[in-house]
Amino acid sequence: MGSAVRLASFLKRASQVVSVLLEENAAQNDVSQTHSNQSPIPFCSTRMKIEPPKELRGCILTSVEYSHAHPHLIMTIHSPAAGRDEGEGPVPKGGGAICVWSTREPSQPQFYLVSQSPSVCGSFGPIRTPLVFCGTEDGCVLLWDLRETVTMHTRPPGVTTPTSHTHIPRPPTFSTAALSQKYSHQSPIVSLSPITTSTPHNSPSSHLLTDDESATIGLSFQLASLDRSGLLIIWVAVETKPHPQGSESDLGLIPNGRVKLVWSAALDTTRSSPDSIPVQSLCVRFHSIDTNHIFFGTDEGTVVHCTRYSRRPIPRLYRSHAHAHCPCDVTSLSFSPWQPDYFLASYSNGNISLYNIKKANPLVVWTESTNGIAVSKVEWAWHIPGVFLALDGHSTLYLWNLTENDRGPTHSYSPAEDTPAILSFSLSPSSTSPSIALCRSNSTIEIHQLSSLTGAPADSETPEKLLLPNFTNYLHSL
């Protein structure tokens, strides 16, 4: 019996390797891609296009996210377009879908994950845990365990799916929809955030998903979900004993499901403002080293600082001078993986601010970079200190390198008029092969390799030995 299990595990791994080699060989033999592989983005070298599967071409691609545990994996969130017929493709009518892709095998997604309600935001599990999470329009938090065998999932009646057995639509392993109102959200989820410590020195795993015991290391962890009403719920993802007929106590867990979410705590962020003024929280981030500290971006142009266990922190509020008399939305927050006490905040009025968590006022405010166009997302790079990217509402990408020039972006890219718009982006956590994933308005995914224009040296040890001190000296000079 043991030999059969080992043989099955070997064949699975071998088939993955063969599949990757075949795709690489096909790409090399495709001469027509020679010119299309050149990236039009000035700070990128090459690009790879991933076309949506035909079963999802009637859906709208809304966002893309990299896995920090497996840098070659990305997830794309798809919502059905208006007028899509029920039973057309794997997405239920009025529902949503998540595709998990491998950049090593880009011809087709690895998994189809479907939900009964449109998906709003998503996240991979941390460490090596093969889990995917999603927040929906109806306030549910969904969990998929990618270790599940295909025999646990069947093709829904009347639904046409891809021929490959791996592409059978997978419903969630666990859903919070079955929980009582006291222990669940009643408003659309706007942000999901795994609560883990992460630095570039924690080298992410490059292995493919496996079913062995090593894939379950770190399975128990916390996840935070924030809804539109300002309610933040802390969940604990835990492994449980599978029940073939379903569990009477673990409501929301499918038969034979092994992972569930347990309610741990809740925080009403609308009461977190020190000014005693109700605010709406739009995004949430935890300090990457000390996860006791929580930071909320609000619709008043402020970032509110809270703690989970200790007394009220100082400062309680971060307010940019430019927003004192002109409230606007804080659209995203990003903590530096190189200097965790520094974070960026982007705003709907086009500003970007750099903060130190110990100081209420921003160290730098960039006000003219986008000419007043809203910044939808800002994100620090993992491959080199002092570099971050931002995307504005007109699909323009900006790259800053603070060790070279802190007055504004060093590079920018605007798509041509006949080119689909950029809706979202995600930076890979890889320090050796940095790339950026773009979500286009035509539902195409593009993977662009960041080039040496970002200042990335050939020696992977150089950023810490040379560039990190330069970035640290720059921050201390502010």
Side-chain angles (χ1 to χ4, degrees), residues 287 295 305 314-315 318 341-343 355-361 363:
H287 192 281
F295 300 81
H305 184 189
I314 299 175
Y318 304 91
D341 284 346
Y342 294 83
F343 69 92
Y355 292 92
N356 183 311
I357 62 171
K358 298 178 182 179
K359 299 180 181 180
N361 295 324
L363 304 177

Side-chain angles (χ1 to χ4, degrees), residues 347-351 367 369-376 391-396 398:
Y347 301 86
S348 60
N349 66 355
N351 289 357
T367 59
S369 301
T370 67
N371 296 318
I373 302 170
V375 179
S376 58
L391 175 68
D392 71 16
H394 287 183
S395 299
T396 301
Y398 305 87

Side-chain angles (χ1 to χ4, degrees), residues 40 391 394-397 413-422 438 440:
L391 175 68
H394 287 183
S395 299
T396 301
L397 271 174
Y413 163 72
S414 297
E417 293 184 1
D418 58 347
T419 304
I422 302 173
L438 301 182
R440 295 278 190 176

Side-chain angles (χ1 to χ4, degrees), residues 35-48 66 381 383 387-390 397-400 410-414 422 425-428 433-438 440 446-456:
H35 297 289
S36 62
N37 285 342
Q38 300 301 315
S39 174
I41 302 177
F43 47 87
C44 295
S45 55
T46 61
R47 70 174 172 181
M48 174 179 62
Y66 269 100
H383 69 291
V387 171
F388 67 89
L389 274 76
L397 271 174
Y398 305 87
L399 182 141
W400 273 258
T410 55
H411 301 284
S412 64
Y413 163 72
S414 297
I422 302 173
F425 76 91
S426 179
L427 281 169
S428 72
S433 182
S435 59
I436 177 173
L438 301 182
R440 295 278 190 176
E446 293 182 0
I447 309 296
H448 295 254
Q449 200 73 22
L450 293 172
S451 68
S452 58
L453 285 176
T454 61

